[in-house]
Amino acid sequence: MRLVHLDLKGAAPRVSYLEKVFPLLSQLGANGILVEYEDMFPFKGELEILKSPYAYSEEDIERIQELAELHKLEVVPLVQTFGHVEFILKHEKYQHLREVERFPNSFNPHVPDTLALLKSILSQVIDKHRHSTWIHIGADEVFNLGEGMDSKNWLSHNRGDMGTMYLKHIKEVLDFITTQYRGLRALMWDDMLRKISVGALRGERVGTECSDLAPPELPPQKPPELAEGDASPATAGPTALPGHRPHWLAEVRGGGTPTLPGACAAPLAAVQEAMAWLVPRCRYDHYSVLCELLPVSIPSLAICLQTLVNGGFTEETKRKVLDVLGFQSMQLEQSTCEGRGAFPGAEVYHMVEQVNGHLKESILKALEEESAIKGWFSPYHRKRLFGNPRNMESFGSKVLKLHEDWESFVRDLRTHLERIYFPDTVEEWMEENINPYLDQLRDLVRDYR
């Protein structure tokens, strides 16, 4: 399985854009999509409060699966069941389910309502994915686990065994899935499992219930905790679950601020063959800023997929990526791709390249390096409406032209973004990447006029 993780915590694309992207993913070698809906799922009834105003409709969910089937992409829905549940626990209605009262990131596993809520969420998602043979339960990065009063009480009566406490909750989730949905197989992230002793893992028999995907930051070697167990082929490697093979891994993601749009190179951690995971990440969590936009990350995604398919980044791999994406050349060391591009969203790719490479630089240069502005149109002058027209006219036409050029560019960029994204994503991206710089120029032009 070579899964592309559609992380929809932010910048969820319109289904009309996925219609164009799915054939590309299939052409590049993907055979599945891991869909983390979060608040984009059309929850109903008691759970309706979890929906974003721009959540997909039930028809959209059906259409996504039809598109996936058309392009031979297996759909694996992902429902976070322990950590990364800010989109749930931010609501006052569910605050009592927090592990730590003031933090909305992790569930308290000791409150019966937690499992009851998870059963409802899992049921609604699984029932809308009846053709899926896998369900991903997340369960990574359960921050602050053990710090809540209920957990402290449990630990004090159970020899402080955090691993068993974690596994107890996971086992309850898995028991529900295997009982209610026979034949459905479970996946989970394994970062929390790596901290747990082999004895605890075997005692809970979690390995009989699910398979795992390792995080890309970990090196392809046996983790220290496995040294005390059997070093047999079944347990060697980065996975801590007995009886499961390790996996190929790759992650494509921007940081808290936008990466250069030409960033073709992404970290690849080669850990034998079995399952690939690639994620053009939208956000690191529900509260963080947006990472890079999907159209901008497609070159990185294409390289990772083709590298996985071909077992390395060969000249043949590079040529296939260039042909599919419509580029003339690429320089991984400089994180650049040259050419017009012929993939869905290529216009956005190039326009974001302009924003990242020129917007801030050109505006700051005009504001800080133009001596007439610094000397005769300072904040002091502007505040008091006091200036010499002769000196102002020496920079006026240049500043007005720069302003009009960027305003025209941003109007075009907004038009292209609105074809791919919902209004909230467009506004947020503009606020984070355009307005901090363009607003300075807008204010200067307003005062000049």
Side-chain angles (χ1 to χ4, degrees):
M1 296 174 71
R2 292 181 295 274
L3 303 176
V4 172
H5 179 178
L6 294 180
D7 180 0
L8 305 180
K9 287 192 281 291
R14 296 178 184 271
V15 175
S16 57
Y17 183 65
L18 295 179
E19 288 180 359
K20 302 172 184 176
V21 170
F22 280 11
L24 178 68
L25 298 182
S26 183
Q27 187 180 5
L28 288 167
N31 56 18
I33 53 170
L34 178 66
V35 189
E36 184 171 2
Y37 291 106
E38 203 163 279
D39 59 358
M40 287 300 293
F41 188 81
F43 291 108
K44 297 191 299 184
E46 287 288 313
L47 302 180
E48 192 169 355
I49 190 176
L50 302 179
K51 281 197 319 184
S52 160
Y54 300 100
Y56 294 138
S57 66
E58 292 186 24
E59 291 74 22
D60 289 334
I61 301 298
E62 188 62 35
R63 179 60 177 154
I64 289 171
Q65 293 175 87
E66 289 173 356
L67 290 168
E69 183 178 7
L70 180 63
H71 299 289
K72 297 180 172 55
L73 297 169
E74 182 167 0
V75 178
V76 180
L78 190 159
V79 175
Q80 286 286 1
T81 57
F82 214 157
H84 286 300
V85 286
E86 295 91 347
F87 84 101
I88 300 170
L89 299 184
K90 72 178 183 181
H91 295 285
E92 185 177 357
K93 179 179 180 179
Y94 298 118
Q95 283 184 8
H96 68 291
L97 302 182
R98 296 177 178 185
E99 167 70 354
V100 176
E101 186 178 357
R102 65 184 184 278
F103 300 148
N105 46 279
S106 302
F107 277 124
N108 177 346
H110 310 284
V111 180
D113 285 354
T114 292
L115 188 61
L117 175 61
L118 285 173
K119 288 179 179 179
S120 297
I121 292 173
L122 285 164
S123 295
Q124 288 201 20
V125 173
I126 293 172
D127 287 345
K128 291 298 178 186
H129 294 81
R130 283 299 190 174
H131 298 297
S132 294
T133 58
W134 294 90
I135 178 73
H136 197 305
I137 64 168
D140 61 316
E141 297 182 337
V142 188
F143 300 132
N144 307 108
L145 182 63
E147 296 179 17
M149 190 54 65
D150 288 340
S151 288
K152 287 179 179 178
N153 290 335
W154 190 95
L155 291 169
S156 69
H157 291 92
N158 291 274
R159 302 184 304 280
D161 192 341
M162 185 85 76
T164 298
M165 185 174 74
Y166 171 85
L167 293 173
K168 180 176 178 293
H169 175 71
I170 296 302
K171 190 70 161 48
E172 289 175 339
V173 171
L174 294 173
D175 284 346
F176 167 73
I177 292 171
T178 54
T179 301
Q180 295 296 315
Y181 302 96
R182 294 194 177 278
L184 187 63
R185 293 178 289 178
L187 286 162
M188 64 184 293
W189 304 130
D190 82 336
D191 57 303
M192 298 295 292
L193 297 175
R194 287 170 182 265
K195 306 170 187 176
I196 300 173
S197 70
V198 174
L201 286 166
R202 287 175 174 157
E204 290 296 322
R205 296 179 60 79
V206 174
T208 65
E209 307 286 354
C210 67
S211 298
D212 71 305
L213 287 177
E217 295 80 7
L218 293 162
Q221 60 193 28
K222 184 168 67 176
E225 62 266 31
L226 287 185
E228 63 193 59
D230 296 332
S232 64
T235 58
T239 174
L241 290 182
H244 292 279
R245 300 158 71 196
H247 313 291
W248 272 93
L249 303 163
E251 184 170 20
V252 183
R253 64 184 184 188
T257 55
T259 58
L260 283 176
C264 298
L268 277 176
V271 195
Q272 297 186 17
E273 79 292 349
M275 188 173 293
W277 163 57
L278 301 103
V279 46
R281 189 179 291 278
C282 292
R283 298 185 199 279
Y284 281 89
D285 69 40
H286 189 75
Y287 284 86
S288 74
V289 297
L290 291 172
C291 294
E292 200 50 279
L293 298 174
L294 179 55
V296 182
S297 66
I298 280 179
S300 295
L301 186 60
I303 287 174
C304 287
L305 277 169
Q306 275 296 293
T307 298
L308 290 165
V309 169
N310 295 312
F313 186 63
T314 63
E315 281 301 314
E316 180 184 350
T317 303
K318 184 175 179 180
R319 176 50 49 196
K320 173 69 179 289
V321 171
L322 290 174
D323 289 345
V324 172
L325 299 186
F327 286 124
Q328 275 70 59
S329 64
M330 62 176 62
Q331 303 297 328
L332 264 63
E333 294 77 11
Q334 285 78 43
S335 293
T336 58
C337 298
E338 290 81 33
R340 287 184 56 83
F343 58 92
E347 303 90 350
V348 170
Y349 174 93
H350 286 298
M351 296 182 89
V352 171
E353 188 174 37
Q354 290 294 311
V355 170
N356 285 344
H358 304 292
L359 175 65
K360 178 180 178 180
E361 178 186 357
S362 67
I363 291 175
L364 292 183
K365 184 176 181 180
L367 297 183
E368 297 177 4
E369 295 184 15
E370 179 65 56
S371 62
I373 292 178
K374 296 187 73 173
W376 282 269
F377 203 57
S378 71
Y380 179 89
H381 294 93
R382 291 164 61 184
K383 183 177 181 180
R384 289 161 179 79
L385 307 179
F386 175 76
N388 187 329
R390 178 179 180 276
N391 301 96
M392 291 170 61
E393 288 174 5
S394 69
F395 66 80
S397 60
K398 187 190 302 184
V399 167
L400 291 174
K401 176 70 162 57
L402 180 67
H403 172 252
E404 180 50 41
D405 286 349
W406 276 118
E407 290 288 10
S408 175
F409 173 89
V410 169
R411 284 193 294 271
D412 289 344
L413 174 58
R414 180 182 285 274
T415 298
H416 285 294
L417 288 175
E418 288 174 345
R419 291 172 184 161
I420 298 174
Y421 294 110
F422 298 100
D424 58 337
T425 296
V426 177
E427 287 307 317
E428 181 178 354
W429 198 89
M430 290 289 183
E431 285 284 346
E432 290 288 340
N433 299 283
I434 301 289
N435 295 350
Y437 311 109
L438 192 51
D439 279 351
Q440 296 179 56
L441 185 59
R442 288 165 173 159
D443 290 345
L444 182 78
V445 168
R446 179 200 63 212
D447 290 349
Y448 173 84
R449 285 175 172 154

